């Protein structure tokens, strides 16, 4: 399951490559031949300026025009499926935002909902360079609670219209548009947000002006876009930077950032310095669950701490190993599920009995649907709400094998009966039957030969 989830997240959430060690396992330097023969030299002020210009466009693109995630609706799974003994449907929609750009989204909900009924919904907001397909990695956790799931492509991402993103500045308006559509046209009642990276920033900035949001799960939000850009260029306290980001000295960082901000405003139409979710946190009064990874060099852990400290509502902070795009551990997914159950006030009776892994956590939805297609999902259901132990799984496999053998024996018996019936229905004519009976009638024993007498 972790490999399957990893392939999904790696596809729709590109991972920053790790920096290679400067020494090999034998302690020798790993530079290329050209680097070994070329002596190192110091960069003067003109060299640094050239370095800034060289990385200028790349940094602007990283902020407002990252690679667009490519996918099709087939990557979202079937539009109708059965999960946990309940029929579900996926409704794909296209809704215009404030700027007139079409936003493409999908709503996973139960098929048996009556018209006019209200139901709770979790809105998943994807990260930078990603799309709504990222929501399939957490769909099982949400649907198993008894809630609906909604996700959409921000403007400039995935299948939605738009040429640029704003890392939360305009994305908060997209969140507002989609929440309004869910409540007006889809019948959604309570709404909670689950955001990651850019999606978490958008959640905070929208929650500051929409107190009706029931709760927030905020995975790796940045406190200030200006601060993130400065740290990307200058590095953190240990000088560690994501691969490909130029190393610019401190006395040029401010000037370089002003250049980047000017270009961002002229191209994408927003002020980089005003994208500060930490300023919105004091007016957020709903509960929130924060999460951050220890080894995140893209959005460093102290960003989540800054927003956490300024957040006005009830809050909790979860930390774990990994980097910005690592798979999140199971205990965090469990915490998010409990959090949504409480803030959305979902009764325990609404929970579904779904296939689980060895630790009792719901298997990824896409994996379950694939197993159902192969006819193997039923073997994973345990007798107690899906918590199948290893012994129970072995017993279920043995019962399935016995059932298969029994069906094979029944088929063989049916085939034998059909053959006998076909033979009995095609009897031979009477004369043939008579000859056959004569041939099979008992014959008298042969007469004894005459005894030999004296010769004449």
């Amino acid at each position: 399951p972790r490999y399957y989830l990893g392939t999904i997240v790696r596809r729709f959430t590109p991972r920053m490559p790790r920096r290679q060690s400067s020494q090999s396992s034998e302690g020798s330097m790993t530079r290329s031949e050209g680097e070994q023969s070329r002596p190192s030299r110091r960069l003067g002020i003109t060299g640094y300026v050239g370095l800034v210009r060289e990385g200028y466009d790349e940094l602007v693109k990283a902020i407002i025009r990252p690679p667009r995630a490519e996918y099709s609706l087939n990557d979202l799974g079937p539009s109708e499926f059965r999960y946990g003994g309940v029929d579900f449907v996926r409704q794909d929609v296209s809704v215009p935002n404030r700027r007139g750009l079409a936003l493409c989204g999908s709503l996973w909900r139960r098929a048996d909902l009556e018209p006019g009924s209200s139901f709770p919904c979790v809105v998943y907001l994807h990260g930078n360079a990603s799309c709504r397909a990222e929501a399939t990695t957490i769909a099982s956790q949400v649907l198993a609670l008894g809630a609906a799931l909604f996700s959409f492509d921000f403007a400039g991402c995935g299948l939605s219209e738009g040429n640029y993103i704003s890392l939360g500045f305009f994305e908060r308006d997209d969140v507002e548009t989609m929440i309004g559509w869910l409540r007006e046209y889809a019948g959604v009642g309570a709404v909670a947000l689950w955001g990651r990276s850019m999606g978490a920033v958008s959640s905070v900035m929208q929650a500051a002006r929409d107190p009706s949001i029931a709760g927030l799960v905020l995975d790796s939000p940045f406190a200030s876009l200006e601060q993130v850009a400065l740290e990307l260029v200058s590095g953190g306290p240990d000088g560690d930077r994501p691969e490909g980001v130029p190393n610019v000295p401190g006395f040029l960082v401010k000037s370089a950032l002003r250049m980047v901000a000017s270009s961002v405003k002229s191209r994408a139409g927003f002020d980089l310095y005003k994208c500060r979710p930490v300023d919105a946190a004091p007016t957020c009064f709903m509960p929130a669950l924060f999460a951050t990874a220890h080894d995140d060099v893209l959005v460093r852990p102290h960003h989540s701490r800054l927003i956490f400290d300024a957040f006005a509502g009830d809050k909790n902070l979860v930390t774990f190993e990994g980097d910005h795009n690592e798979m999140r551990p199971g205990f965090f997914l469990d915490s998010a599920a409990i959090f949504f159950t409480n803030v959305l006030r979902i009764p325990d009776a609404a929970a579904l009995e779904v296939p689980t892994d060895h630790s009792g956590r719901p298997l990824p939805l896409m994996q379950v649907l694939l197993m159902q297609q192969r006819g193997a999902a039923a073997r994973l259901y345990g007798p107690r709400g899906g918590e199948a132990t290893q012994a129970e799984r072995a017993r279920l496999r043995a019962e399935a094998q016995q059932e298969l053998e029994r069906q094979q024996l029944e088929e063989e018996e049916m085939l034998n009966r059909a053959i006998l019936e076909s033979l009995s229905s095609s009897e031979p004519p009477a004369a043939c039957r008579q000859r056959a009976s004569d041939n099979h009638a008992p014959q008298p024993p042969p007469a004894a030969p005459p005894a030999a007498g004296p010769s004449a």
Side-chain angles (χ1 to χ4, degrees):
R2 291 187 64 82
Y3 171 78
Y4 178 84
L5 275 172
T7 57
I8 294 292
V9 170
R10 281 194 296 271
R11 178 176 181 186
F12 297 115
T13 311
R15 177 188 300 277
M16 299 295 261
R18 295 182 181 274
R19 302 180 64 191
Q20 296 182 352
S21 174
S22 61
Q23 295 185 354
S24 65
S25 58
E26 298 178 357
S28 60
M29 300 302 291
T30 59
R31 295 179 298 177
S32 63
E33 296 180 359
E35 292 175 333
Q36 292 175 356
S37 60
R38 185 185 307 114
S40 61
R41 62 183 178 86
R42 293 185 178 182
L43 288 176
I45 182 65
T46 57
Y48 279 125
V49 171
L51 185 61
V52 171
R53 291 177 178 174
E54 181 180 352
Y56 168 76
D57 286 337
E58 295 301 323
L59 186 56
V60 172
K61 291 179 181 179
I63 295 176
I64 62 174
R65 185 58 278 164
R68 185 187 289 264
E70 297 181 358
Y71 72 102
S72 67
L73 293 180
N74 293 331
D75 294 317
L76 303 179
S79 57
E80 297 180 358
F81 58 93
R82 189 168 181 83
Y83 180 63
V86 176
D87 292 328
F88 282 86
V89 295
R90 190 192 77 237
Q91 180 182 357
D92 301 322
V93 299
S94 178
V95 182
N97 66 0
R98 284 187 177 184
R99 295 175 289 164
L101 302 174
L103 305 178
C104 297
S106 295
L107 174 63
W108 289 265
R109 61 174 180 82
R110 296 175 62 131
D112 58 356
L113 293 175
E114 298 181 358
S117 60
S118 178
F119 54 93
C121 182
V122 174
V123 178
Y124 184 84
L125 306 174
H126 65 78
N128 184 20
S130 188
C131 61
R132 58 177 154 167
E134 186 181 320
T136 60
T137 62
I138 54 90
S140 57
Q141 278 77 17
V142 175
L143 299 182
L145 300 177
L149 173 65
F150 182 78
S151 185
F152 67 96
D153 297 334
F154 285 116
C157 301
L159 302 182
S160 293
E161 296 179 347
N163 296 323
Y164 300 107
I165 65 171
S166 62
L167 292 174
F169 190 86
F170 290 129
E171 282 75 12
R172 58 182 170 182
D173 296 334
D174 295 347
V175 177
E176 181 182 30
T177 297
M178 285 308 195
I179 292 178
W181 180 87
L182 287 171
R183 288 173 171 165
E184 184 175 357
Y185 296 102
V188 170
V191 173
L193 305 182
W194 187 341
R196 183 162 180 171
S197 189
M198 180 179 71
V201 171
S202 307
S203 300
V204 175
M205 299 182 74
Q206 173 58 22
R209 59 186 188 181
D210 186 1
S212 68
I213 296 175
L216 308 173
V217 171
L218 307 172
D219 188 346
S220 306
F222 60 79
S224 166
L225 182 54
E226 175 190 3
Q227 188 173 358
V228 170
L230 289 174
E231 292 172 352
L232 285 176
V233 175
S234 61
D238 54 358
D240 193 13
R241 295 182 310 279
E243 190 73 16
V245 177
N247 182 15
V248 180
F251 66 89
L252 286 178
V253 168
K254 293 290 186 179
S255 299
L257 186 59
R258 282 194 293 269
M259 295 170 55
V260 171
S262 177
S263 181
V264 166
K265 188 171 184 178
S266 63
R267 297 186 192 182
F270 74 97
D271 190 349
L272 180 151
Y273 295 102
K274 292 183 179 180
C275 190
R276 293 177 51 86
V278 67
D279 294 338
T283 55
C284 296
F285 300 98
M286 65 285 296
L289 174 64
F290 290 79
T292 184
H294 292 300
D295 301 324
D296 193 339
V297 296
L298 188 60
V299 179
R300 301 179 185 275
H302 66 85
H303 284 269
S304 294
R305 172 62 67 177
L306 289 173
I307 301 178
F308 177 84
D309 292 339
F311 199 86
D314 294 337
K315 53 195 175 183
N316 190 20
L317 176 63
V318 178
T319 59
F320 38 75
E321 301 296 329
D323 60 22
H324 192 71
N325 293 319
E326 286 279 353
M327 285 302 305
R328 295 326 190 200
F331 76 87
F332 167 66
L333 300 179
D334 293 341
S335 300
I338 296 173
F339 176 83
F340 286 128
T341 301
N342 292 331
V343 298
L344 294 175
R345 299 182 180 181
I346 303 175
D348 294 338
L352 306 181
E353 297 182 0
V354 300
T356 58
D357 58 14
H358 65 279
S359 60
R361 297 187 178 96
L363 289 175
L365 177 63
M366 301 299 289
Q367 181 181 358
V368 174
L369 297 180
L370 180 61
M371 295 173 65
Q372 287 179 355
Q373 293 176 358
R374 296 177 178 177
R379 301 182 187 178
L380 296 175
Y381 282 87
R384 296 185 302 275
E387 298 179 358
T389 63
Q390 293 293 338
E392 290 169 349
R393 292 175 186 229
R395 179 180 59 80
L396 292 172
R397 285 194 295 266
E399 291 178 355
Q401 182 64 28
Q402 293 175 0
E403 179 66 18
L404 179 62
E405 294 175 354
R406 184 185 64 81
Q407 293 178 0
Q408 292 176 347
L409 290 176
E410 289 181 354
E411 292 177 356
E412 292 178 357
E413 293 177 358
M414 292 175 61
L415 180 60
N416 292 334
R417 287 197 300 268
I419 293 175
L420 293 176
E421 290 177 358
S422 63
L423 291 176
S424 61
S425 61
S426 57
E427 295 181 353
C432 295
R433 290 199 303 270
Q434 182 63 36
R435 284 196 299 269
S437 62
D438 293 341
N439 291 335
H440 292 84
Q443 301 294 330
S455 59

